[in-house]
Amino acid sequence: MTGGRRLGCLLGDGIGPEVVPAARRVVDAALSAAGAPAVEWVDLPMGAAALAEHGAPLPAPTLEALAGCDGWLAGPHDSESYPPQWRASGQRVPGGELRHVFGLHTNLRPSRTRPGVPARVPAMDLVVVRENSEGFYADRNMAVGSGEFMPTPDLALVVGVFSRPAVRRAVRQAFALAARRRGQVTLVHKANVLHLAFGLWLEECRAAAREHPGVRLETVLFDAMAARLVRHPERFDVVVTENLFGDTLSDLAGELAGALGMSGSVNAGDRHAMAQAAHGSAPDIAGQDVANPVGMVVSAAMLLAWLGERHADPVLAAASSAVEQAVDAVLASGVATRDVGGTAGTAEFTDAVVDRLSAPGAAAPAVGRPGA
Ligand code: ATP
């Protein structure tokens, strides 16, 4: 790696201005410990503050600047708090708009139990591969409009979009990931009712399974999956599914593994990737220094891993692994935020992770926690 990567920094709403800077500090510490060039951070407005100041939650200059970045950290948005005129306009929410504009077609959402964190299950380690550009969030795939229609005040229609190229792309990513992990892909579908849409998913999964003889394929109905995930989460490795199902199941998996605030997430396209934690803006706890920064921190680690793979840069991969290890070590030492039974504030927890990364020998060689 010759120069530092250029990364955007979008605080967003609610707890975003607390957890995004925390993740940024951790990235800086990890890269410094790994001997990598420092990131060139680009601060950009997004969310309610951007709406008030620039008239849009995702102003055009933000989009233009992001196009010149390698990736970015994005906080959550609280579009429910935006003025009624904006909500009535039918515009995509900022996260959806970013996924649409930059073609961030795949959302990886790992959930695993971590040392020292009380979980609802004994052990689990899975990754949800969520097709991110269409499915039942049809607004993501429309050139114009939201995919929702209201012919009369008492009738709402919603379009689901399932294209073979998008399905194939998600399925191939899932199989490639499973081949590097424990070798199992679970397709979550609803082909018993939606024969055509999920017929495509089944066909693509069976084709991919033929190309990956070392990966087992199982198929589970969405409703059955909700129950199975609660009862036996340890049995799943890579779960691949459409947009809305993936959104739902990854929140469930995150909560089972500890708490929603622990879950990382990266939205990846061919040229850009966005680290954005799985949780929302949590306005109920915003500004109190109690938000759990782990979800955003491990999302940033996933972004480093994505950049490392894209640019064949083992130093970035090592920095990503070091962040994961530092988070685990801090949690194992009993330092945790209150949502997972601890007493540390956001800043105190972040300090502990940064200290751990800055300790001699912290930037261990990449150990390859696949998908994490
Ligand atoms: P959205 O619609 O934006 O996804 P939501 O209200 O459905 O938002 P969250 O904002 O994620 O969901 O919050 C759900 C609950 O989880 C809230 O009670 C919130 O306090 C808690 N929560 C979410 N993220 C965190 C976090 N990082 N740290 C601590 N608690 C969190």
Side-chain angles (χ1 to χ4, degrees):
M1 173 170 182
T2 48
R5 296 284 158 206
R6 176 186 286 207
L7 298 183
C9 186
L10 300 94
L11 299 183
D13 301 326
I15 59 174
E18 295 163 81
V19 297
V20 173
R24 176 168 162 166
R25 284 185 60 208
V26 170
V27 167
D28 285 339
L31 292 179
S32 166
V39 167
E40 181 191 339
W41 292 104
V42 185
D43 291 303
L44 297 165
M46 177 188 81
L51 184 58
E53 198 172 331
H54 304 279
L58 203 51
T62 292
L63 292 172
E64 284 158 25
L66 288 177
C69 292
D70 296 296
W72 53 91
L73 307 183
H77 54 79
D78 181 14
S79 48
E80 286 300 303
S81 72
Y82 299 172
Q85 311 89 282
W86 187 88
R87 283 185 282 139
S89 69
Q91 294 179 60
R92 271 185 284 267
V93 298
E97 183 69 3
L98 286 167
R99 289 170 191 166
H100 177 76
V101 170
F102 291 102
L104 307 180
H105 47 69
T106 308
N107 184 200
L108 297 179
R109 291 190 166 190
S111 290
R112 71 174 169 93
T113 41
R114 290 181 185 268
V117 176
R120 289 168 174 75
V121 292
M124 63 183 282
D125 181 0
L126 62 80
V127 181
V128 174
V129 177
R130 166 189 174 198
E131 199 295 314
N132 215 17
S133 66
E134 47 183 47
F136 290 128
Y137 285 137
D139 63 323
R140 309 292 148 89
N141 201 37
M142 299 281 153
V144 177
S146 66
E148 285 195 291
F149 308 92
M150 197 154 224
T152 76
D154 302 315
L155 178 65
L157 307 174
V158 185
V159 177
V161 177
F162 299 83
S163 72
R164 192 181 292 278
V167 171
R168 180 171 294 170
R169 196 169 48 197
V171 165
R172 293 202 163 174
Q173 295 228 8
F175 274 79
L177 181 58
R180 300 200 301 272
R181 287 177 48 100
R182 304 196 305 277
Q184 182 183 303
V185 168
T186 304
L187 167 66
V188 176
H189 67 99
K190 200 64 190 159
N192 56 336
V193 177
L194 298 162
H195 308 277
L196 303 179
F198 288 105
L200 281 178
W201 279 92
L202 283 166
E203 281 172 25
E204 290 302 321
C205 274
R206 286 172 185 147
R210 285 193 289 277
E211 288 170 20
H212 292 83
V215 177
R216 293 179 309 285
L217 169 66
E218 66 168 352
T219 63
V220 182
L221 293 172
F222 178 51
D223 41 350
M225 185 65 182
R228 279 223 228 164
L229 197 50
V230 171
R231 191 171 285 266
H232 288 302
E234 76 286 356
R235 290 192 186 164
F236 298 101
D237 178 18
V238 175
V239 176
V240 65
T241 191
E242 71 85 40
N243 207 337
L244 173 61
F245 291 179
D247 197 8
T248 309
L249 292 173
S250 55
D251 270 22
L252 174 56
E255 194 62 35
L256 288 173
L260 190 51
M262 302 285 295
S263 297
S265 159
V266 74
N267 297 270
D270 295 333
R271 299 182 54 192
H272 298 95
M274 166 170 77
Q276 187 178 41
H279 61 74
S281 60
D284 52 326
I285 57 166
Q288 299 169 33
D289 190 39
V290 296
N292 188 341
V294 169
M296 195 60 228
V297 166
V298 297
S299 301
M302 293 173 74
L303 176 60
L304 291 179
W306 182 87
L307 288 168
E309 196 173 327
R310 176 169 156 74
H311 298 287
D313 186 341
V315 178
L316 291 176
S320 172
S321 295
V323 171
E324 278 285 336
Q325 289 166 17
V327 167
D328 278 356
V330 168
L331 290 168
S333 75
V335 177
T337 47
R338 73 177 191 190
D339 56 318
V340 287
T343 56
T346 312
E348 183 186 344
F349 184 87
T350 309
D351 287 346
V353 175
V354 168
D355 288 350
R356 183 71 62 158
L357 283 164
S358 308
V367 291
R369 279 205 54 78

